[in-house]
PDB file of all heavy atoms in Angstrom:
ATOM      1  N   VAL A1023       3.540  -2.108  -4.185  1.00  0.00           N
ATOM      2  CA  VAL A1023       3.441  -1.676  -2.734  1.00  0.00           C
ATOM      3  C   VAL A1023       2.917  -0.277  -2.668  1.00  0.00           C
ATOM      4  O   VAL A1023       3.053   0.516  -3.616  1.00  0.00           O
ATOM      5  CB  VAL A1023       4.840  -1.715  -1.979  1.00  0.00           C
ATOM      6  CG1 VAL A1023       5.291  -3.182  -1.811  1.00  0.00           C
ATOM      7  CG2 VAL A1023       5.908  -0.916  -2.699  1.00  0.00           C
ATOM      8  N   GLU A1024       2.298   0.048  -1.542  1.00  0.00           N
ATOM      9  CA  GLU A1024       1.561   1.313  -1.411  1.00  0.00           C
ATOM     10  C   GLU A1024       2.521   2.496  -1.397  1.00  0.00           C
ATOM     11  O   GLU A1024       3.735   2.360  -1.228  1.00  0.00           O
ATOM     12  CB  GLU A1024       0.741   1.337  -0.077  1.00  0.00           C
ATOM     13  CG  GLU A1024      -0.145   0.107   0.148  1.00  0.00           C
ATOM     14  CD  GLU A1024       0.549  -1.007   0.864  1.00  0.00           C
ATOM     15  OE1 GLU A1024       1.816  -1.053   0.810  1.00  0.00           O
ATOM     16  OE2 GLU A1024      -0.148  -1.883   1.414  1.00  0.00           O
ATOM     17  N   SER A1025       1.930   3.713  -1.534  1.00  0.00           N
ATOM     18  CA  SER A1025       2.716   4.924  -1.696  1.00  0.00           C
ATOM     19  C   SER A1025       3.603   5.214  -0.488  1.00  0.00           C
ATOM     20  O   SER A1025       3.344   4.796   0.644  1.00  0.00           O
ATOM     21  CB  SER A1025       1.768   6.130  -1.895  1.00  0.00           C
ATOM     22  OG  SER A1025       0.929   6.318  -0.761  1.00  0.00           O
ATOM     23  N   THR A1026       4.675   5.951  -0.765  1.00  0.00           N
ATOM     24  CA  THR A1026       5.548   6.503   0.319  1.00  0.00           C
ATOM     25  C   THR A1026       4.725   7.597   1.006  1.00  0.00           C
ATOM     26  O   THR A1026       4.141   8.461   0.325  1.00  0.00           O
ATOM     27  CB  THR A1026       6.785   7.118  -0.328  1.00  0.00           C
ATOM     28  OG1 THR A1026       7.418   6.170  -1.203  1.00  0.00           O
ATOM     29  CG2 THR A1026       7.732   7.653   0.717  1.00  0.00           C
ATOM     30  N   VAL A1027       4.609   7.510   2.315  1.00  0.00           N
ATOM     31  CA  VAL A1027       3.890   8.538   3.072  1.00  0.00           C
ATOM     32  C   VAL A1027       4.907   9.412   3.844  1.00  0.00           C
ATOM     33  O   VAL A1027       5.728   8.836   4.555  1.00  0.00           O
ATOM     34  CB  VAL A1027       2.871   7.953   4.052  1.00  0.00           C
ATOM     35  CG1 VAL A1027       2.166   9.034   4.858  1.00  0.00           C
ATOM     36  CG2 VAL A1027       1.826   7.090   3.301  1.00  0.00           C
ATOM     37  N   VAL A1028       4.823  10.719   3.673  1.00  0.00           N
ATOM     38  CA  VAL A1028       5.811  11.593   4.383  1.00  0.00           C
ATOM     39  C   VAL A1028       5.054  12.726   5.077  1.00  0.00           C
ATOM     40  O   VAL A1028       3.962  13.080   4.675  1.00  0.00           O
ATOM     41  CB  VAL A1028       6.868  12.224   3.438  1.00  0.00           C
ATOM     42  CG1 VAL A1028       7.610  11.164   2.658  1.00  0.00           C
ATOM     43  CG2 VAL A1028       6.233  13.276   2.532  1.00  0.00           C
ATOM     44  N   ARG A1029       5.740  13.249   6.089  1.00  0.00           N
ATOM     45  CA  ARG A1029       5.229  14.482   6.753  1.00  0.00           C
ATOM     46  C   ARG A1029       6.435  15.347   6.975  1.00  0.00           C
ATOM     47  O   ARG A1029       7.521  14.848   7.463  1.00  0.00           O
ATOM     48  CB  ARG A1029       4.497  14.122   8.020  1.00  0.00           C
ATOM     49  CG  ARG A1029       3.988  15.345   8.736  1.00  0.00           C
ATOM     50  CD  ARG A1029       2.970  14.967   9.761  1.00  0.00           C
ATOM     51  NE  ARG A1029       2.579  16.154  10.491  1.00  0.00           N
ATOM     52  CZ  ARG A1029       1.674  16.180  11.432  1.00  0.00           C
ATOM     53  NH1 ARG A1029       1.075  15.038  11.837  1.00  0.00           N
ATOM     54  NH2 ARG A1029       1.364  17.297  12.030  1.00  0.00           N
ATOM     55  N   VAL A1030       6.306  16.674   6.791  1.00  0.00           N
ATOM     56  CA  VAL A1030       7.422  17.585   7.088  1.00  0.00           C
ATOM     57  C   VAL A1030       7.253  17.972   8.559  1.00  0.00           C
ATOM     58  O   VAL A1030       6.173  18.488   8.954  1.00  0.00           O
ATOM     59  CB  VAL A1030       7.348  18.792   6.154  1.00  0.00           C
ATOM     60  CG1 VAL A1030       8.354  19.847   6.615  1.00  0.00           C
ATOM     61  CG2 VAL A1030       7.665  18.392   4.724  1.00  0.00           C
ATOM     62  N   ILE A1031       8.311  17.763   9.319  1.00  0.00           N
ATOM     63  CA  ILE A1031       8.306  18.121  10.729  1.00  0.00           C
ATOM     64  C   ILE A1031       9.634  18.852  10.986  1.00  0.00           C
ATOM     65  O   ILE A1031      10.730  18.347  10.743  1.00  0.00           O
ATOM     66  CB  ILE A1031       8.269  16.891  11.604  1.00  0.00           C
ATOM     67  CG1 ILE A1031       6.992  16.079  11.302  1.00  0.00           C
ATOM     68  CG2 ILE A1031       8.285  17.235  13.124  1.00  0.00           C
ATOM     69  CD1 ILE A1031       7.032  14.663  11.828  1.00  0.00           C
ATOM     70  N   ASN A1032       9.551  20.086  11.501  1.00  0.00           N
ATOM     71  CA  ASN A1032      10.742  20.908  11.770  1.00  0.00           C
ATOM     72  C   ASN A1032      11.715  20.960  10.599  1.00  0.00           C
ATOM     73  O   ASN A1032      12.880  20.679  10.798  1.00  0.00           O
ATOM     74  CB  ASN A1032      11.471  20.412  13.019  1.00  0.00           C
ATOM     75  CG  ASN A1032      10.619  20.433  14.270  1.00  0.00           C
ATOM     76  OD1 ASN A1032       9.682  21.262  14.371  1.00  0.00           O
ATOM     77  ND2 ASN A1032      10.865  19.469  15.181  1.00  0.00           N
ATOM     78  N   GLU A1033      11.222  21.284   9.446  1.00  0.00           N
ATOM     79  CA  GLU A1033      12.079  21.401   8.254  1.00  0.00           C
ATOM     80  C   GLU A1033      12.771  20.114   7.813  1.00  0.00           C
ATOM     81  O   GLU A1033      13.775  20.127   7.042  1.00  0.00           O
ATOM     82  CB  GLU A1033      13.163  22.527   8.490  1.00  0.00           C
ATOM     83  CG  GLU A1033      12.531  23.904   8.480  1.00  0.00           C
ATOM     84  CD  GLU A1033      11.777  24.230   7.169  1.00  0.00           C
ATOM     85  OE1 GLU A1033      12.414  24.148   6.105  1.00  0.00           O
ATOM     86  OE2 GLU A1033      10.557  24.546   7.219  1.00  0.00           O
ATOM     87  N   LYS A1034      12.320  19.008   8.366  1.00  0.00           N
ATOM     88  CA  LYS A1034      12.871  17.684   7.934  1.00  0.00           C
ATOM     89  C   LYS A1034      11.731  16.856   7.348  1.00  0.00           C
ATOM     90  O   LYS A1034      10.571  16.993   7.811  1.00  0.00           O
ATOM     91  CB  LYS A1034      13.451  16.921   9.097  1.00  0.00           C
ATOM     92  CG  LYS A1034      14.786  17.423   9.539  1.00  0.00           C
ATOM     93  CD  LYS A1034      15.351  16.469  10.596  1.00  0.00           C
ATOM     94  CE  LYS A1034      16.319  17.229  11.493  1.00  0.00           C
ATOM     95  NZ  LYS A1034      16.331  16.778  12.844  1.00  0.00           N
TER      96      LYS A1034
END
Side-chain angles (χ1 to χ4, degrees):
V1023 291
E1024 309 88 338
S1025 61
T1026 306
V1027 178
V1028 305
R1029 180 164 176 178
V1030 171
I1031 302 163
N1032 300 330
E1033 289 303 302
K1034 283 188 206 148

